[in-house]
């Protein structure tokens, strides 16, 4: 399994004494194995295990020297566009005030018949089409979101809508603006340690549902969107996820949160006549609360350090990457990180002006536009980083295609 340092450790410690060749760590920060095991059986005491191995082959964990690569991407946004001028009719602000401080001019917001699951399915369908992978061949669906349309998660509904006939595992990852990077690392873990072949990673959020539209400090920032990539197993020499670096700091939650709150009870008695604490009152989530100055300081300090750490693990320098792709939170943050890393503006990917901060969707949305426009080409190296609520932040060094 993977740890936060970006290194992999053997997923089956009990097998250590039975393996002659030692495990090694490659320069990329991922685990390599001198011997490729064709089959690992859970129990050698069962005489018929070998006979039944082919039938249950896909369910048996393997220790394989495998890499992973990104082979397809897609995105989707709501139809409703809200401009800075539109917001100026609602709160004391202006297009100039917003654009100078954030770089944002427009954002897309869910309305009418739009829903987040539909956007996620559309983005995933486009990614599968580009990758030329049939939904039936997907082994895992990771839905990176902090705004699911069901408290129990949205990933299984996306799996069903896509027509994944083999009932692959599907689950949600909740890490807000860092979610997509965590999804990429999770996909790598499943491929390298679990024998998965095709993993669909989706970043999708609808933060507009949790915005106080009378608060000009937050309502100007957020939009809704979905983006997706297909991560596929490959031989080590084709490996496209070189390294990663992940962190969290719960102390920073006070600067960016949307906490659960109890609604006011109608009276002090429960429905069965008992007093006070039972039955519990219904709860709902509050609107996003953010200390913009502290979040800015956090991002410009921690994000460059994380990217530099990931680059070092990959044996690369900032001058050797083709593109810098950051979570699209604020153009001043993007510019400050690029300056710290000495990455020229022409090698920085940004579509913040058109969509605002779309949380877990921002990185795959920007990547998809850059790939489809011909800016990002097969073989290009990308340094990417997500950061936000939690506080959680992480970076990854990867190759497209």
């Amino acid at each position: 399994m993977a740890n936060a340092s970006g290194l992999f450790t053997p997923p089956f410690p009990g097998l250590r004494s039975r393996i002659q060749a030692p495990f090694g760590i490659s320069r990329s920060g991922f685990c390599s194995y001198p011997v490729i095991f064709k089959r690992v059986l859970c129990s050698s005491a069962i005489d018929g295990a070998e006979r039944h191995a082919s039938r249950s082959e896909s369910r048996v964990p393997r220790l394989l020297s495998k890499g992973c690569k990104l082979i397809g991407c897609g995105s989707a946004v709501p139809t409703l566009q809200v401009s800075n001028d539109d917001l100026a009719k609602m709160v004391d602000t202006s297009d100039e005030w917003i654009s100078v401080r954030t770089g944002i001019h427009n954002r897309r917001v869910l309305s009418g018949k739009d829903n987040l699951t539909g956007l996620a399915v559309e983005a995933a369908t486009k990614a599968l089409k580009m990758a030329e992978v049939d939904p039936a061949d997907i082994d895992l669906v990771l839905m990176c979101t902090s705004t699911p349309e069901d408290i129990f998660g949205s990933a299984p509904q996306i799996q069903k809508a896509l027509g994944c006939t083999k009932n692959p595992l599907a689950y949600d990852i909740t890490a807000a603006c860092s979610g997509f990077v965590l999804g990429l690392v999770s996909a790598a873990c499943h491929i390298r340690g679990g024998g998965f072949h095709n993993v669909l990673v989706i970043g999708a959020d609808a933060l507009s549902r949790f915005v106080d539209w009378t608060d000009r400090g937050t309502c100007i920032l957020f939009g809704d969107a979905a983006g997706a990539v297909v991560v596929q197993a490959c031989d080590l020499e084709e490996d496209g996820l070189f390294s990663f670096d992940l962190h969290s700091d719960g102390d920073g939650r006070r600067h960016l949160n949307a906490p659960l709150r109890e609604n006011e009870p109608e009276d002090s008695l429960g429905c069965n006549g008992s007093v006070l604490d039972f039955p519990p009152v219904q709860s709902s989530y509050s609107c996003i609360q953010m200390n913009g100055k502290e979040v800015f300081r956090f991002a410009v300090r921690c994000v460059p350090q994380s990217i530099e750490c990931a680059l070092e693990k990959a044996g690369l320098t900032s001058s050797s990457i083709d593109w810098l792709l950051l979570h699209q939170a604020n153009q001043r943050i993007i510019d400050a990180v690029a300056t710290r890393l000495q990455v020229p503006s022409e090698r920085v990917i940004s579509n913040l002006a058109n969509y605002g901060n779309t949380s877990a969707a921002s990185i795959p949305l920007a990547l998809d536009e850059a790939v489809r426009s011909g800016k990002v080409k097969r073989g290009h190296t990308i340094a990417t980083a997500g950061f936000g609520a939690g506080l959680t932040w992480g970076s990854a060094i990867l190759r497209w295609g």
Side-chain angles (χ1 to χ4, degrees), residues 278-292:
F278 189 84
V281 297
Q282 290 187 339
S283 300
S284 61
Y285 289 101
S286 68
C287 291
I288 296 170
Q289 301 172 25
M290 184 177 70
N291 183 330

Side-chain angles (χ1 to χ4, degrees), residues 161-339:
L162 289 173
C164 301
T165 56
K166 295 180 181 178
N167 289 18
L169 174 64
Y171 63 88
D172 286 23
I173 294 176
T174 303
C177 305
S178 304
F180 183 74
V181 172
L182 269 64
L184 284 180
V185 174
S186 298
C189 291
H190 281 286
I191 289 172
R192 297 171 188 277
F196 289 69
H197 188 70
N198 291 311
V199 179
L200 183 61
V201 183
I202 305 167
D205 264 314
L207 291 182
S208 67
R209 293 169 171 168
F210 300 94
V211 166
D212 178 357
W213 291 99
T214 66
D215 175 14
R216 75 169 185 173
T218 57
C219 75
I220 63 175
L221 300 174
F222 299 103
D224 307 330
V229 298
V230 177
V231 184
Q232 188 175 78
C234 63
D235 294 333
L236 272 180
E237 57 267 22
E238 298 177 337
D239 187 29
L241 184 54
F242 303 145
S243 63
F244 62 88
D245 179 75
L246 305 174
H247 301 274
S248 292
D249 178 10
D251 188 54
R253 173 186 177 273
R254 66 187 188 277
H255 300 311
L256 180 56
N257 58 75
L260 193 69
R261 64 182 178 189
E262 290 186 347
N263 298 328
E264 292 293 330
E266 294 182 1
D267 53 52
S268 61
L269 296 178
C271 59
N272 62 356
S274 62
V275 181
L276 299 178
D277 292 335
F278 189 84
V281 297
Q282 290 187 339
S283 300
S284 61
Y285 289 101
S286 68
C287 291
I288 296 170
Q289 301 172 25
M290 184 177 70
N291 183 330
K293 291 182 179 180
E294 288 301 322
V295 172
F296 181 88
R297 290 171 184 162
F298 145 73
V300 298
R301 181 182 72 254
C302 294
V303 174
Q305 292 174 353
S306 179
I307 293 175
E308 287 171 341
C309 183
L311 285 168
E312 183 178 355
K313 293 173 188 175
L316 299 173
T317 64
S318 59
S319 62
S320 60
I321 64 173
D322 296 295
W323 300 103
L324 177 65
L325 172 53
L326 303 179
H327 163 53
Q328 307 287 291
N330 184 302
Q331 192 61 46
R332 291 193 299 159
I333 293 176
I334 295 173
D335 293 342
V337 174
T339 299

Side-chain angles (χ1 to χ4, degrees), residues 145-159:
T145 183
S146 293
T147 57
E149 292 176 327
D150 189 311
I151 194 172
F152 297 129
S154 296
Q157 286 70 51
I158 295 169
Q159 174 229 71

